[in-house]
Amino acid sequence: EVQLVESGGGLVQPGGSLRLSCAASGFTFATYGMTWYRQAPGKELEWVSTIDSGGGNTVYTNSVKGRFTISRDNAKNTLLLQMNSLKTEDTAVYYCAINRDKRGQGTQVTVSS
């Protein structure tokens, strides 16, 4: 059974940083591209970033380019999202995912002063 468990969310002031982690199990993690999505209150699910299976290729939505970094540790079956220079509009529940239909329970990120 696929399991994706996110952690690392919390409350941070604008301009601050957070590092999200996702522990993956139940599938061969190293063979899958992985994605972070987010969903803000009252809004649709939004794609944030994707990394290929080997970690060598990454893509980002325009609004987070230069601020967020996706990475992975295939030896530890872990997906990461380093978020810097956070803005209030980054407030959302963040999901680790294989695809839109296979994602974890999410971790809340709140950016507020």
Side-chain angles (χ1 to χ4, degrees), residues 10 19 35 39-41 47 60-61 73 76 78 83 102 105:
R19 189 189 195 206
T35 295
Q39 189 165 25
W47 169 75
Y60 301 90
T61 192
D73 184 339
K76 296 181 179 180
T78 299
M83 306 187 296
K102 291 183 181 177
Q105 293 300 305

Side-chain angles (χ1 to χ4, degrees), residues 15-94:
S17 297
L18 282 175
R19 189 189 195 206
L20 305 184
S21 295
C22 172
S25 62
F27 64 106
T28 309
F29 179 75
T31 65
Y32 282 81
M34 294 295 296
T35 295
W36 287 99
Y37 291 95
R38 67 185 180 185
Q39 189 165 25
K43 295 190 176 181
E44 294 187 352
L45 191 68
E46 177 188 20
W47 169 75
V48 175
S49 180
T50 297
I51 188 168
D52 70 358
S53 59
N57 293 293
T58 58
V59 287
Y60 301 90
T61 192
N62 285 339
S63 63
V64 309
K65 280 181 183 177
R67 300 188 298 121
F68 290 12
T69 303
I70 189 172
S71 62
R72 65 192 296 159
D73 184 339
N74 285 345
K76 296 181 179 180
N77 286 0
T78 299
L79 180 69
L80 302 168
L81 186 68
Q82 178 67 43
M83 306 187 296
N84 299 329
S85 302
L86 283 161
K87 305 177 181 180
T88 55
E89 52 263 43
D90 295 318
T91 294
V93 176
Y94 284 71

